[in-house]
Amino acid sequence: MRMSIKLTTQAYCKMLLHAAKYPHCAVNGLLVAEKQKEKKKDSHSTPILCVDCIPLFHGTLALAPMLEVALTLIDTWCKENKYVIAGYYQANERTKDFRPNQVSEKVGARIAENFSEAAMIMVDSTRFTMGCYEPILAIYDHHENKWKCRDCNVDSFDDWCEAQKITSALLEGRSYESLIDFDNHLDDLRNDWTNPEINKSVLHLC
Amino acid sequence: MASVSEMYDVTWEEMRDKLRKWREDNHRNSEQIVDVGEELINEHASKLGDDIWIIYEQVMIAALDCSRDDLAWTCLQELKRQFPGSQRVKRLAGMRLEALEKYEDANKQYDSILQDDPTNTAARKRKISILKAQGKSAEAIRELNEYLEQFVGDQGAWHELSELYINEHDYGKAAFCLEELMMTNPHNHLYCEQYAEVKYTQGGLENLELSRKYFAQALKLNNRNMRALFGLYMSASHIAASPKVNATVEKANVKYATWATNQINRAYQLAGRGTKENKCSVKAVEEMLESITMS
């Protein structure tokens, strides 16, 4: 039985802020979950909680070298923080195009090699509003080498009301202007892709 | 709501100069352009002199980006009034139709420009953008290739084509476009670095070696290009780890990779990152080197 995935407000929020910062580009990033200590016998009942999101790139997503660098560095960061890379998200360049493509499937598969329950998430930009009235994600699971779409509704969130309220507030406040992705980090190493300021804002609004 | 000049304590001249800088750098920070430009137009139009027309154009395009059709329309009307029959203004009208997704009407607009002036490159490129917006990548690529046969010096177009090819995972053709760009811009470190990334993605020992060379070249042109530095590290490491290379090549590449590692660590230290981040990058790089030599 597939473990369900849940997103915290911080994870959802940063994903949407990333997409909002670059509306004319494709964007992608990773989702991280806390590392489980041991597989419990009834582990199928505990959903995987994606606690944070690391925005990676904007623009051309189909080149390998910087992606490899990012995956390696973030993997190390995860180990230090007892996280594991649990998912991948992508928003395509064209608003109306929210299907997975070769890039998302490849990266998703790579993540699934290390984390069997990995989720691939596509952002549906056609439903992207400032009010965030509904979740705009499509969640895919890796099943026998194929990606299958699973229902995404308010149950996919740790606390949907909070996620909706805070994401909307940060969008209105244009917090996306200060969101840092890995591309920004490569442009200037002082840019921090863990986005501590935005994390603080999320906590502050909770 | 506070005005831009109040919020940031700037004069109208500073706002006008900021807009000019964004124009020159071709920045797509449309929300900011709309904020600053709209206020400039509404409050200080009389002071701007002839600058106002190019500002109308800049603000209109930014307004389209932000779905501010009201503002875009206003700007367009002013430009139409001042420059009746202008092809440049016609193209802006076409862009507005594109923003409203009225692609057939937009195409008619561009076709009428091309009828009067078949060499109008702007109209041709907008038609290609429409194909891109409609997801017709193959057609966009074909049209762009045809365009470049005629207008071989259009660097923006070569770059656009390279991106279209990369999105289609046609790395060989993307490399060709970047080669054109490197030939005409031998001092541009970004083209070198992008070429190296494409070669790396193509894979295989020969391409990896080429990618390493071009990452190194990019670094020579700009020693602060972090992508080039990381790329040099990655390509050299992969070559060193390849079973197909002899001991000499392996040794040389381990040397390059080690040099790159040190430069990367120095760069992180210079950036003054907290020790936590530093440790991460050092550790990550060490781990990578380990994992590669083990395989």
Side-chain angles (χ1 to χ4, degrees):
Chain A
M1 160 109 173
R2 267 326 299 171
M3 287 201 240
S4 58
I5 189 178
K6 270 193 192 282
L7 297 165
T8 60
T9 296
Q10 184 165 299
Y12 186 62
C13 197
K14 282 153 81 171
M15 250 195 287
L16 264 61
L17 287 176
H18 193 205
K21 187 180 181 186
Y22 299 105
H24 57 286
C25 293
V27 299
N28 66 0
L30 301 174
L31 291 161
V32 298
E34 278 165 359
K35 197 171 177 118
Q36 302 294 343
K37 297 209 175 83
E38 271 173 22
K39 263 213 174 305
K40 308 178 209 136
K41 276 223 173 97
D42 62 345
S43 59
H44 64 263
S45 59
T46 342
I48 300 171
L49 185 64
C50 287
V51 297
D52 204 358
C53 142
I54 316 281
L56 288 180
F57 304 108
H58 56 271
T60 315
L61 306 181
L63 291 174
M66 298 307 124
L67 178 60
E68 279 187 43
V69 172
L71 286 171
T72 312
L73 281 178
I74 291 166
D75 203 40
T76 307
W77 176 81
C78 278
K79 291 197 172 87
E80 300 271 300
N81 292 279
K82 305 227 177 20
Y83 286 150
V84 65
I85 298 179
Y88 168 82
Y89 73 87
Q90 184 172 302
N92 291 328
E93 185 178 5
R94 288 173 50 236
T95 318
K96 297 196 172 127
D97 179 13
F98 47 87
R99 289 158 309 155
N101 59 15
Q102 199 174 325
V103 176
S104 64
E105 293 189 359
K106 258 191 163 163
V107 184
R110 168 101 175 243
I111 294 173
E113 277 172 27
N114 289 332
F115 189 76
S116 53
E117 309 289 334
M120 190 236 291
I121 294 182
M122 300 300 296
V123 179
D124 180 359
S125 301
T126 57
R127 294 183 291 149
F128 199 161
T129 61
M130 291 293 264
C132 298
Y133 299 117
E134 49 167 350
I136 60 170
L137 311 176
I139 302 182
Y140 293 80
D141 299 316
H142 208 207
H143 234 352
E144 289 157 16
N145 267 327
K146 281 208 171 80
W147 289 97
K148 253 185 99 189
C149 189
R150 140 210 349 223
D151 235 357
C152 173
N153 47 40
V154 299
D155 289 332
S156 314
F157 295 84
D158 195 34
D159 182 342
W160 168 246
C161 284
E162 181 192 82
Q164 181 270 321
K165 193 182 70 166
I166 292 180
T167 307
S168 178
L170 291 181
L171 284 170
E172 293 276 350
R174 297 207 195 165
S175 290
Y176 46 81
E177 286 174 0
S178 57
L179 180 99
I180 299 295
D181 65 9
F182 201 76
D183 257 333
N184 302 137
H185 175 72
L186 291 173
D187 289 335
D188 184 339
L189 292 184
R190 293 167 296 183
N191 288 329
D192 189 346
W193 43 261
T194 63
N195 289 287
E197 291 306 315
I198 295 195
N199 293 343
K200 268 195 219 133
S201 306
V202 172
L203 228 61
H204 186 68
L205 289 169
C206 272
Chain B
M1 206 181 91
S3 67
V4 169
S5 50
E6 281 167 15
M7 269 204 289
Y8 298 98
D9 192 22
V10 288
T11 62
W12 71 267
E13 292 102 329
E14 287 168 311
M15 288 164 71
R16 175 202 58 193
D17 293 341
K18 243 317 172 349
L19 278 182
R20 184 190 308 131
K21 182 162 190 306
W22 291 334
R23 235 174 11 245
E24 287 166 3
D25 295 343
N26 217 351
H27 261 185
R28 198 171 174 169
N29 52 336
S30 301
E31 278 188 320
Q32 286 182 305
I33 293 174
V34 162
D35 282 347
V36 174
E38 188 171 24
E39 191 172 307
L40 216 52
I41 290 170
N42 288 339
E43 315 277 325
H44 307 283
S46 50
K47 306 188 194 94
L48 292 167
D50 274 336
D51 269 351
I52 196 165
W53 309 114
I54 201 155
I55 288 175
Y56 272 131
E57 182 181 46
Q58 183 183 12
V59 173
M60 184 191 163
I61 294 175
L64 291 179
D65 240 2
C66 300
S67 292
R68 285 286 311 274
D69 193 47
D70 58 320
L71 181 57
W73 181 251
T74 309
C75 295
L76 185 59
Q77 293 321 300
E78 293 294 325
L79 288 165
K80 272 188 175 160
R81 220 193 326 259
Q82 183 70 10
F83 306 101
S86 150
Q87 306 284 43
R88 190 161 160 176
V89 177
K90 259 185 160 175
R91 167 204 169 226
L92 289 173
M95 285 178 78
R96 177 176 167 270
L97 291 167
E98 283 185 63
L100 296 169
E101 292 184 89
K102 296 185 171 155
Y103 296 124
E104 250 185 70
D105 292 337
N107 266 321
K108 284 205 190 104
Q109 187 82 345
Y110 299 134
D111 285 335
S112 98
I113 295 177
L114 286 167
Q115 241 183 8
D116 288 340
D117 176 11
T119 65
N120 190 304
T121 56
R124 270 184 86 162
K125 287 194 277 189
R126 286 321 309 168
K127 286 182 64 109
I128 295 171
S129 300
I130 290 177
L131 290 171
K132 211 182 148 187
Q134 294 173 312
K136 298 179 179 166
S137 327
E139 282 175 61
I141 287 176
R142 194 175 50 233
E143 294 291 322
L144 196 42
N145 268 302
E146 267 183 47
Y147 169 85
L148 281 165
E149 275 172 32
Q150 254 191 287
F151 299 98
V152 103
D154 189 335
Q155 308 197 349
W158 279 112
H159 201 253
E160 179 71 38
L161 187 55
S162 78
E163 282 183 11
L164 286 174
Y165 277 131
I166 291 170
N167 289 336
E168 296 303 303
H169 306 283
D170 196 340
Y171 300 109
K173 300 220 179 84
F176 177 79
C177 297
L178 287 162
E179 281 161 14
E180 284 289 328
L181 287 166
M182 287 194 294
M183 259 199 321
T184 46
N185 301 273
H187 299 295
N188 186 315
H189 66 105
L190 294 171
Y191 293 151
C192 266
E193 185 262 306
Q194 280 169 21
Y195 180 74
E197 287 200 55
V198 170
K199 283 293 161 192
Y200 183 107
T201 309
Q202 270 183 293
L205 190 55
E206 236 180 85
N207 286 324
L208 269 179
E209 292 193 310
L210 258 174
S211 91
R212 192 206 65 228
K213 291 191 178 129
Y214 279 90
F215 279 130
Q217 178 65 8
L219 270 175
K220 256 202 344 210
L221 294 169
N222 180 344
N223 61 10
R224 296 213 249 139
N225 186 327
M226 277 315 289
R227 288 181 180 80
L229 193 48
F230 272 118
L232 175 62
Y233 171 76
M234 301 287 292
S235 50
S237 307
H238 280 309
I239 295 169
S242 165
K244 297 186 195 154
V245 298
N246 62 38
T248 327
V249 172
E250 186 189 331
K251 211 169 154 203
N253 280 281
V254 168
K255 224 176 74 180
Y256 301 138
T258 313
W259 178 85
T261 310
N262 293 330
Q263 294 301 307
I264 292 171
N265 289 329
R266 256 189 78 214
Y268 271 93
Q269 277 167 28
L270 274 172
R273 302 299 299 284
T275 42
K276 201 168 180 194
E277 295 305 321
N278 244 355
K279 267 203 278 181
C280 264
S281 69
V282 172
K283 213 168 170 215
V285 155
E286 280 174 8
E287 272 186 36
M288 251 211 94
L289 203 49
E290 248 180 59
S291 70
I292 282 174
T293 49
M294 261 164 41
S295 67

